[in-house]
Amino acid sequence: MDPSSDSRLPTRADVHPTLREPANRVDPRAKTLWRIGPLVLGVFGVVAAVVVAVVVGVVGEGRWIAALAAAVIAVLTAAYTAVVPQWRYRFHRWEVSDDAVYSQSGWFVRHRVIIPIARIQVVDTEAGPIEQFLGLATLTVTTASSAGTIHIAGLEAGVARAIAADLTIRTQAFTDDAT
């Protein structure tokens, strides 16, 4: 029998992690998280431009320029908060397999990372005030490599804590230096 025809033999993909699309999406509430920052910044920009328009209108000409700036900031903020979080959500993914942690992120420049379990040095979670309010957290997996840290933002907080605990236990099985 030809060994290449036996479907039970492991393929290269079975033996070595490959750059592929991870299986899991982040929590849908991440879209709200990704909207809040730009929305707050945009509102401050509009308010500042309106204040400038009022002050300039009182002491001189040029009110229309500041008013136009306020309108442009409002339109750009609305467009950004409507489009970018949806776009990011479609691409941001993660997965923890038996051998590696996979991460895929970015909305304009896309970035994929694989960290073998044996190379993991630190696993932690973080949740700022907005993430806590939304019940989300960011999982950070760090290696000794300068390019090896991944941040998986937008995970449900309980899922992030469970993954961190699981990876911590699994990495203790590797007693070498991992560098």
Side-chain angles (χ1 to χ4, degrees):
M1 177 166 106
D2 180 13
S4 64
S5 66
D6 189 356
S7 62
R8 293 174 290 149
L9 291 176
T11 65
R12 182 181 174 107
D14 294 330
V15 177
H16 300 287
T18 59
L19 278 177
R20 60 176 172 74
E21 188 168 272
N24 306 306
R25 287 187 181 209
V26 296
D27 192 283
R29 292 173 289 180
K31 294 182 278 189
T32 301
L33 177 67
W34 295 329
R35 283 186 183 103
I36 291 173
L39 188 58
V40 168
L41 187 62
V43 167
F44 279 124
V46 169
V47 169
V50 168
V51 167
V52 169
V54 169
V55 170
V56 169
V58 171
V59 296
E61 295 183 23
R63 181 195 307 198
W64 66 272
I65 294 173
L68 179 62
V72 167
I73 292 169
V75 167
L76 290 176
T77 299
Y80 186 95
T81 57
V83 173
V84 172
Q86 295 290 345
W87 189 357
R88 284 180 73 175
Y89 181 73
R90 276 192 227 136
F91 189 74
H92 279 238
R93 293 178 178 271
W94 64 277
E95 181 179 347
V96 177
S97 72
D98 291 339
D99 303 316
V101 178
Y102 297 81
S103 173
Q104 179 174 279
S105 61
W107 66 274
F108 188 70
V109 175
R110 298 192 174 168
H111 187 69
R112 286 185 178 164
V113 177
I114 300 172
I115 295 181
I117 300 292
R119 295 291 188 198
I120 295 173
Q121 290 189 327
V122 179
V123 181
D124 62 35
T125 62
E126 178 181 35
I130 297 171
E131 286 174 303
Q132 290 176 43
F133 177 75
L134 294 172
L136 300 173
T138 297
L139 176 74
T140 302
V141 180
T142 307
T143 70
S145 167
S146 63
T149 299
I150 59 171
H151 304 276
I152 306 171
L155 293 177
E156 193 275 320
V159 170
R161 285 190 302 270
I163 293 169
D166 178 59
L167 288 175
T168 300
I169 291 167
R170 290 170 57 188
T171 58
Q172 290 175 358
F174 298 95
T175 56
D176 64 340
D177 188 13
T179 57

